[in-house]
Amino acid sequence: MTNAVPGDEIIIASGTYVAPDKFNNQGKASRFASSNDGTSSNPIILRGENPANPPILKGPDGIYDGYALHILGDYWQVKDIIFEEGSKGIVFDNANYGVIENVTVRELGEEGIHLRDGSSFNLVKDCKVYNVGIKKPGIGEGLYVGSDKNQHAGPGDENENSKYDPDCNNNTIEGCIVGPNVTAEGVDVKEGTKNTIIRDCVFSAEGISGENSADAFIDLKGAYGFVYNNTFNLDGSTIINAGIDFLDRGTNYNTGFRNAIFNNTFNLESRGNEIPTARKKQGDPSEIHVWDNVRNPNTPDFPISDGSLNHITQSCPSWNIEPCDGTQNQAPVVSFVNPTTNLTVLLGYDALTVEVNAMDPDGSISDVKLYVDNALVRQINQPPYQWGTGENANELVGLSLGIYTIKAEATDNEGKISDVEFTVTVRDENTGGDGDCSFGTPIATGLPTFDNASFDHAHVLGQGPDVSNISRLRISWNLEENKLDRFDMNTSDGVPEFYMNLKDVISYDFNTSQPELTISNSNLAGWDGSYWVTKDGDNFVMVSKNNGFTIYFNNAVESPECESTLSNPDFSERELQVTIYPNPVNQKHLHIVAVSKEEKTVEVIDLLGKRIISQKLDTNDPKVDVSSLHQGTYILLIKSDNNKESLFFVKK
């Protein structure tokens, strides 16, 4: 974890992993931790190998000391793991654009999951939090967003370096199960935070302690908090005195302002006449809206006259996250007009222009922003949406060697956002030796190696032909001449169905005398440097299993002398000519356009060769539902009786 780089995936086999010692991760004692960053296109992934039997990462039994997991980097995805036996469970500090999914935190001295110190744009999804606050019940919150005002860093604060940025904004808690035995609030949203969403969760009050004034399922102390579609179960608690408390903490900054509570279900057993749906607990909150909540038994939302109603409006506000008329705001549609594909330029390029098309099917476009690796270039409020032209001709010039993500983000009149990305590779004119464009820029080393990997991995080698009948792959690196020496791929019928033509850099040779159905480290032990091949965006990645060396080969046609850098065999009868949109896809459907009108089937295959979707293609409405896919890269295979074609696409 401490050596992780963008694009790394750390896969943990089922079992129990005990960290007997803590280490200092930027001032915090932690059991498992990292402060490295991923990127939007290449996050760092930490996940259990088998979600049905997740690994357990923990400290020593009964000590409850040290953070079980501490992340200080952006773009981390933590999935399918159990964390236990720490002072705190998962802590994100100044960690943005992260995902915590299908994770269990339990057996903790204090809170379960904490998004702190400026951590924003994070998603906590389908997690379980229970048995927390064992050592300190008063700070045993299930989930905690932000920090107390006494811990806020401010200008001139002599302890500024030891305090926290209060702006933990745009975080979402979704589909989680919180409790039993969460000794403080299920979720505590602190002052200074903004745009916290809590939805589709189930809360149990069993085991809440009441210490440190914890007597509600949720505390809302920030601004623009949205709590909806949740279920709150009393489960026999005599401690709960309110469903949700809302507070103004007197900081005059994002506190006690515009919080919405709606469409929740409160199962209050025999205490329905004692427990209000929401309660004002401190200060002078404003624009608090509470409406359309269900109470079992059917009792008034505010059975106690305690002054809370003076701060509450019982209707949907215009600023609500969901439309008040019950209709769903459609996301804007955004696409690149120029360029339309990933781009490679030479170092010292003197011009780069980007043009974007944006429209909103049920409203208007408020603005379009362009980012380079998440750094804002410029916001444009009305068309044409163009960058790198006119008086701004140089705003995209000057990128150094490397690979950059260019993102266009369109916002509609109701604040809904859609984005689309492409990559720009800046390379040296001399990259690849004799101008043959063979070598891209290494951006990652030491990627994982795999033993006894299924040969279905061959699916990631290229677009076009079906490579499922390949029986062996061998790649070797000539250490003396510093070039790829051999690239072997055998097929069961002896026919080379795929090859790479890298001019004189790669020579390939086919031999079916000893077909092999799998590749393993031992299979290739006799070669000088064995390489795995995988796919990263539009690049083929060859990764040495001996010394961690990585080479990227780009599949784009960059200039006439590069046209044969990577090529498919000559399929003279291929007539499908398939295109797809949008790509990357962050919508429900991936649309397919094919010149051929014959009957076709469509398959979606992951990069391990597993077929996930298989269906006939409707010629009147050619599309495939990809809403069930996780984020990542997939292969779309279109087949007719006589032809087939495959393309890569990215699900966001």
Side-chain angles (χ1 to χ4, degrees):
M1 289 177 62
T2 57
N3 295 323
V5 297
D8 277 359
E9 186 171 16
I10 303 167
I11 304 172
I12 309 171
S14 300
T16 299
Y17 301 81
V18 180
D21 299 313
K22 300 172 291 183
F23 72 98
N24 188 323
N25 188 47
Q26 294 196 17
K28 303 298 180 182
S30 308
R31 301 288 176 180
F32 299 90
S34 182
S35 55
N36 295 357
D37 291 322
T39 67
S40 59
S41 56
N42 290 290
I44 299 172
I45 299 173
L46 176 72
R47 68 173 177 89
E49 184 177 34
N50 182 3
N53 185 18
I56 299 173
L57 273 59
K58 64 189 297 293
D61 289 343
I63 294 179
Y64 309 122
D65 189 19
Y67 298 176
L69 177 69
H70 189 208
I71 299 295
L72 289 100
D74 295 341
Y75 294 104
W76 275 78
Q77 297 181 9
V78 182
K79 302 179 180 180
D80 309 324
I81 305 173
I82 297 171
F83 293 94
E84 60 182 42
E85 297 289 352
S87 60
K88 305 178 189 295
I90 299 174
V91 179
F92 274 23
D93 276 332
N94 195 23
N96 305 285
Y97 301 99
V99 176
I100 304 172
E101 183 174 3
N102 193 31
V103 165
T104 297
V105 292
R106 65 190 185 193
E107 312 305 329
L108 301 168
E110 300 170 17
E111 70 266 22
I113 298 174
H114 197 160
L115 307 178
R116 187 177 65 183
D117 198 16
S119 296
S120 299
F121 297 97
N122 295 293
L123 171 64
V124 182
K125 182 178 181 181
D126 299 335
C127 294
K128 296 179 181 178
V129 183
Y130 61 94
N131 292 0
V132 300
I134 294 172
K135 198 169 183 179
K136 296 180 179 179
I139 51 174
E141 295 88 352
L143 299 103
Y144 200 114
V145 182
S147 51
D148 184 86
K149 64 180 182 179
N150 294 319
Q151 298 297 318
H152 292 177
D157 191 332
E158 61 181 8
N159 296 316
E160 184 172 359
N161 293 331
S162 65
K163 293 189 176 182
Y164 305 119
D165 179 355
D167 286 286
C168 298
N169 302 328
N170 302 291
N171 294 297
T172 298
I173 299 166
E174 178 179 286
C176 295
I177 299 174
V178 185
N181 300 321
V182 171
T183 58
E185 297 88 1
V187 182
D188 192 354
V189 183
K190 306 302 286 188
E191 54 272 19
T193 64
K194 188 176 180 181
N195 294 335
T196 303
I197 299 170
I198 305 169
R199 63 188 175 200
D200 303 322
C201 297
V202 178
F203 294 82
S204 171
E206 180 183 349
I208 189 170
S209 69
E211 292 191 26
N212 198 22
S213 301
D215 60 351
F217 290 99
I218 292 175
D219 271 6
L220 291 179
K221 303 167 184 173
Y224 286 93
F226 300 95
V227 181
Y228 63 103
N229 296 348
N230 302 286
T231 300
F232 299 94
N233 297 316
L234 192 64
D235 286 341
S237 172
T238 59
I239 303 298
I240 289 289
N241 289 318
I244 297 169
D245 279 338
F246 55 94
L247 299 82
D248 166 23
R249 295 280 285 151
T251 60
N252 296 317
Y253 182 70
N254 286 344
T255 183
F257 176 66
R258 287 195 171 179
N259 290 308
I261 302 164
F262 61 101
N263 290 350
N264 301 287
T265 298
F266 293 84
N267 295 314
L268 302 175
E269 301 167 355
S270 61
R271 299 189 59 214
N273 287 318
E274 305 172 21
I275 300 173
T277 297
R279 174 182 62 175
K280 192 275 291 187
K281 199 168 186 180
Q282 187 179 89
D284 187 22
S286 60
E287 296 195 48
I288 309 300
H289 287 250
V290 181
W291 76 101
D292 287 352
N293 295 285
V294 175
R295 293 167 58 91
N296 297 311
N298 186 11
T299 50
D301 277 307
F302 305 99
I304 301 171
S305 178
D306 61 358
S308 294
L309 273 173
N310 296 332
H311 300 269
I312 290 172
T313 302
Q314 297 186 69
S315 63
C316 178
S318 61
W319 44 264
N320 193 42
I321 191 171
E322 299 281 357
C324 292
D325 60 7
T327 61
Q328 182 70 39
N329 176 34
Q330 296 184 54
V333 178
V334 57
S335 61
F336 287 109
V337 177
N338 175 45
T340 57
T341 62
N342 293 334
L343 190 65
T344 298
V345 298
L346 293 178
L347 184 65
Y349 66 98
D350 57 7
L352 177 59
T353 61
V354 173
E355 183 175 359
V356 168
N357 182 40
M359 58 85 64
D360 185 30
D362 59 351
S364 59
I365 297 295
S366 173
D367 62 72
V368 179
K369 302 180 182 73
L370 192 75
Y371 297 86
V372 175
D373 281 353
N374 292 312
L376 178 65
V377 177
R378 185 163 50 91
Q379 173 180 315
I380 300 178
N381 297 329
Q382 58 186 12
Y385 304 112
Q386 297 174 334
W387 292 261
T389 63
E391 62 182 17
N392 300 301
N394 294 322
E395 62 187 339
L396 297 174
V397 173
L399 296 177
S400 57
L401 287 173
I403 300 176
Y404 300 86
T405 299
I406 309 297
K407 179 174 71 174
E409 182 181 272
T411 305
D412 71 9
N413 57 303
E414 295 189 35
K416 202 152 193 174
I417 295 173
S418 295
D419 61 62
V420 64
E421 298 177 351
F422 72 92
T423 61
V424 171
T425 300
V426 182
R427 66 176 181 84
D428 195 305
E429 187 173 8
N430 297 318
T431 300
D434 299 327
D436 60 8
C437 309
S438 300
F439 297 84
T441 304
I443 60 170
T445 59
L447 296 182
T449 62
F450 307 92
D451 201 7
N452 296 320
S454 165
F455 203 67
D456 284 342
H457 281 120
H459 281 294
V460 307
L461 285 172
Q463 303 181 43
D466 180 3
V467 293
S468 60
N469 66 338
I470 294 174
S471 59
R472 184 174 59 190
L473 168 67
R474 294 188 297 192
I475 300 172
S476 67
W477 182 256
N478 187 316
L479 298 176
E480 293 182 0
E481 298 182 24
N482 198 35
K483 71 176 185 179
L484 279 171
D485 189 40
R486 188 179 180 97
F487 179 93
D488 290 0
M489 179 156 42
N490 300 339
T491 62
S492 56
D493 56 7
V495 178
E497 292 212 4
F498 178 88
Y499 66 92
M500 289 183 178
N501 177 8
L502 291 177
K503 297 190 176 177
D504 297 328
V505 178
I506 288 182
S507 60
Y508 51 88
D509 141 277
F510 297 89
N511 178 357
T512 60
S513 61
Q514 295 180 333
E516 299 169 355
L517 297 178
T518 61
I519 293 180
S520 69
N521 294 349
S522 58
N523 294 145
L524 300 174
W527 296 87
D528 285 339
S530 301
Y531 280 75
W532 291 117
V533 177
T534 185
K535 187 79 166 53
D536 182 356
D538 286 331
N539 296 304
F540 296 95
V541 186
M542 297 187 177
V543 185
S544 166
K545 294 188 294 185
N546 290 343
N547 56 16
F549 189 71
T550 302
I551 306 173
Y552 279 63
F553 295 92
N554 193 278
N555 196 28
V557 176
E558 299 168 350
S559 60
E561 67 268 24
C562 301
E563 289 183 359
S564 60
T565 297
L566 285 172
S567 61
N568 290 319
D570 180 15
F571 281 78
S572 57
E573 296 184 0
R574 185 194 293 177
E575 297 177 352
L576 285 176
Q577 300 178 39
V578 173
T579 58
I580 57 178
Y581 71 94
N583 188 13
V585 56
N586 58 359
Q587 303 168 7
K588 180 177 182 180
H589 290 110
L590 181 69
H591 296 269
I592 301 167
V593 180
V595 173
S596 168
K597 299 301 182 184
E598 57 189 323
E599 185 176 86
K600 292 177 277 294
T601 60
V602 57
E603 296 178 358
V604 174
I605 302 166
D606 68 15
L607 295 190
L608 298 180
K610 179 181 178 182
R611 184 181 293 105
I612 300 174
I613 297 173
S614 180
Q615 67 181 58
K616 287 191 177 297
L617 191 63
D618 185 347
T619 56
N620 295 318
D621 189 17
K623 62 187 179 184
V624 58
D625 186 344
V626 295
S627 58
S628 64
L629 299 182
H630 295 294
Q631 296 182 39
T633 302
Y634 296 87
I635 299 168
L636 184 75
L637 180 64
I638 310 292
K639 298 190 293 188
S640 66
D641 289 340
N642 302 312
N643 301 290
K644 55 194 170 187
E645 187 164 349
S646 61
L647 302 93
F648 287 96
F649 72 93
V650 175
K651 173 65 185 300
K652 294 188 63 178

